[in-house]
Amino acid sequence: MDDLVLRAVASVDDDRHLLTYDVRGSLAHVAMLAAAGVVTPEQAERISAGLHLILAEGLELALEDEDVHMAVERRLEALIGDDARLLHTARSRNDQVALDLRLFVDAKQAELRDALGSLVEALEQKAETHATVVMPGYTHVQRAQPVLFAHALLAFRDQFSRDVARLDIPFVSPLGAGALAGSAVPIDPAYTARALGASDVFSNSIDAVSDRDFAAEFVFAATLAAIHLSQLAETLILWCTAEFGFVRLPDSLTTGSSLMPQKKNPDCLELVRGRAGQSLGDLVALLTTLKGLPVGYNRDLQETKPPVIRAAETVRTSALVCALAIEELEVDAAAMAVAASDDGLFATDIVERLVASGVAFRDAHERVAAVVRSGASFSSLSAGEWLEFGIDPSCAGPFTPEASVASRTSPGGTSPASLRAQLSRPRRT
Ligand code: ARG
């Protein structure tokens, strides 16, 4: 192969991440070949021993190898001699690479579930520790109604629980599909599937070598988690500002400025936010690679590996950073209490009391809106002035953020009782 072409088609850089999965696949394959009587038990024994040695020693992949599959085979031959030449019987790099990526996704989705699971736990822990802290709840980043700080944390918990549940892509073994047509050798694909812990085995050999749905599903699941992580990061970045002042990150999680001595910057969270874009780009890249493929294996499929490898690592790191940030977050309950005492936050409380006293909702909304338009603050109005707006003074307060929160007892609302119910929900992780 021309040097330039070799460099253009080699996948050794990505394949470093697939080495152990490639060898595990070969161990299952050779066991199947022996069980099917295609190689002798002694040959299988020697091949397995060589493969185990490669697993133990590791293997530097050289450009000349082109890919991990060739590298392992060459190394095996150097280690055990001619028996190595039996290993690739009834197998193609096409079903082999599909298997490697399947095994990789299966392992990485478990790692990602763990990392996101630790974030879920950190959020629950923090919510439990600060169960009574009240803050302004926001819509449109405008103060809306008082909520429990813990209720906001559990909103993120629910997102990440769904992400964990989504990372449940079945592992179907494609090994035994050959290049596209199966094999004339009496192989048993179900044997290797079982040996590798797959939940199923392929049913169509052409689909088996070209199917990358699992990769797309994995990168989608990882990307959606990355987007949720970005939303959490953005929220914490806002709450850390002097303008909000609701939480602080300890020095161990912040970086300084090379110029301004006072700075404590949330760089680690900014990078969580920034890297979500990378995963999103990877998802689009992967899907775009697939869209033009004619039926069967095409070398374009090699390009489905980098998005999977990169998304797995980026999103895992981001999840762990966020878990640490939540664990270490210092909560300024007093600052939140001050912000949550803003009169305007009780407008809906007045409306809901009027509704309870028999006023139609739309009328109640209009009367309170008229007070707001007048520019008067609720706490400054006299009983007579409330009556002028058509509002019974007993509906007008006084309110506290705590009482406001306690009144929102509807299921899934922000009351302390609802919080307890949410916290006692069985963990999905
Ligand atoms: N190196 C390829 C990949 O990473 C696998 C080799 C299949 N190539 C082939 N020409 N049949 O996807």
Side-chain angles (χ1 to χ4, degrees):
M1 209 185 291
D2 181 278
D3 241 21
L4 178 69
V5 172
L6 176 61
R7 262 200 303 280
V9 303
S11 58
V12 281
D13 285 344
D14 302 321
D15 285 1
R16 281 186 294 107
H17 300 272
L18 300 179
L19 175 66
T20 56
Y21 307 104
D22 194 77
V23 176
R24 275 172 48 200
S26 287
L27 283 165
H29 185 64
V30 75
M32 182 278 293
L33 290 177
V38 179
V39 300
T40 68
E42 295 72 28
Q43 288 166 331
E45 191 56 44
R46 286 192 290 274
I47 293 171
S48 297
L51 289 170
H52 278 295
L53 197 57
I54 294 173
L55 268 188
E57 285 179 344
L59 184 62
E60 286 294 327
L61 306 190
L63 180 65
E64 301 70 57
D65 290 322
E66 193 185 330
D67 58 29
V68 64
H69 325 297
M70 302 306 296
V72 169
E73 235 183 294
R74 278 183 199 149
R75 179 67 186 144
L76 190 65
E77 193 165 347
L79 285 170
I80 67 163
D82 275 353
D83 284 333
R85 304 180 71 80
L86 295 164
L87 174 61
H88 209 53
T89 309
R91 188 176 66 175
S92 156
R93 286 185 292 167
N94 297 355
D95 56 347
Q96 198 177 356
V97 72
L99 174 69
D100 290 6
L101 198 56
R102 290 263 190 190
L103 285 166
F104 182 85
V105 162
D106 203 49
K108 294 297 162 178
Q109 72 174 354
E111 283 181 15
L112 212 44
R113 280 197 304 267
D114 282 351
L116 290 164
S118 65
L119 174 56
V120 165
E121 251 167 57
L123 287 161
E124 288 173 346
Q125 200 65 57
K126 209 71 180 175
E128 261 160 31
T129 310
H130 301 279
T132 60
V133 173
V134 181
M135 70 183 299
Y138 293 83
T139 65
H140 314 266
V141 205
Q142 305 289 321
R143 285 182 185 167
Q145 292 179 273
V147 295
L148 289 175
F149 170 64
H151 195 54
L153 292 180
L154 292 190
F156 286 111
R157 187 272 302 260
D158 281 6
Q159 286 188 316
F160 295 118
S161 299
R162 289 195 296 274
D163 291 334
V164 170
R166 203 173 284 115
L167 286 160
D168 192 22
I169 301 152
F171 166 31
V172 178
S173 175
L175 201 62
L180 77 163
S183 177
V185 179
I187 53 169
D188 181 4
Y191 181 106
T192 35
R194 264 195 316 277
L196 290 163
S199 60
D200 206 353
V201 62
F202 71 93
S203 59
N204 178 299
S205 58
I206 298 176
D207 181 51
V209 291
S210 53
D211 173 18
R212 293 294 184 277
D213 292 3
F214 67 96
E217 283 167 6
F218 174 72
V219 179
F220 170 73
T223 300
L224 191 51
I227 283 168
H228 293 152
L229 290 164
S230 176
Q231 293 175 340
L232 172 63
E234 167 65 0
T235 302
L236 295 179
I237 290 166
L238 274 181
W239 288 355
C240 279
T241 58
E243 284 69 16
F244 279 82
F246 294 167
V247 296
R248 271 183 303 277
L249 286 174
D251 287 352
S252 58
L253 297 190
T254 55
T255 49
S257 158
S258 59
L259 189 149
M260 300 166 282
Q262 88 284 11
K263 288 303 288 289
K264 266 178 74 169
N265 295 326
D267 294 36
C268 64
L269 295 174
E270 294 168 79
L271 286 166
V272 166
R273 187 177 58 189
R275 286 184 186 134
Q278 188 192 84
S279 299
L280 188 52
D282 279 334
L283 176 62
V284 174
L286 195 159
L287 290 170
T288 309
T289 298
L290 298 179
K291 86 171 264 302
L293 300 185
V295 66
Y297 176 87
N298 297 274
R299 189 62 177 261
D300 317 39
L301 289 169
Q302 182 167 299
E303 291 310 298
T304 61
K305 290 188 285 187
V308 170
I309 294 165
R310 200 153 75 140
E313 191 46 39
T314 307
V315 181
R316 195 180 79 91
T317 304
S318 290
L320 293 174
V321 164
C322 284
L324 189 62
I326 292 294
E327 275 164 32
E328 303 278 310
L329 205 62
E330 297 161 13
V331 175
D332 192 336
M336 289 191 216
V338 170
S341 304
D342 173 352
D343 236 15
L345 290 170
F346 303 123
T348 313
D349 295 80
I350 304 174
V351 170
E352 290 188 340
R353 276 209 197 163
L354 284 168
V355 166
S357 76
V359 178
F361 172 80
R362 195 47 69 197
D363 293 329
H365 186 282
E366 275 173 16
R367 289 177 209 177
V368 176
V371 179
V372 173
R373 263 198 310 277
S374 78
S377 79
F378 298 149
S379 48
S380 70
L381 289 180
S382 67
E385 287 168 320
W386 280 111
L387 284 170
E388 276 170 35
F389 284 104
I391 294 172
D392 188 313
S394 69
C395 295
F399 293 103
T400 61
E402 289 72 22
S404 171
V405 157
S407 73
R408 302 250 142 64
T409 51
S410 61
T414 193
S415 70
S418 159
L419 181 74
R420 277 193 299 281
Q422 292 177 61
L423 280 170
S424 64
R425 228 182 50 191
R427 291 188 183 161
R428 284 214 250 156
T429 51

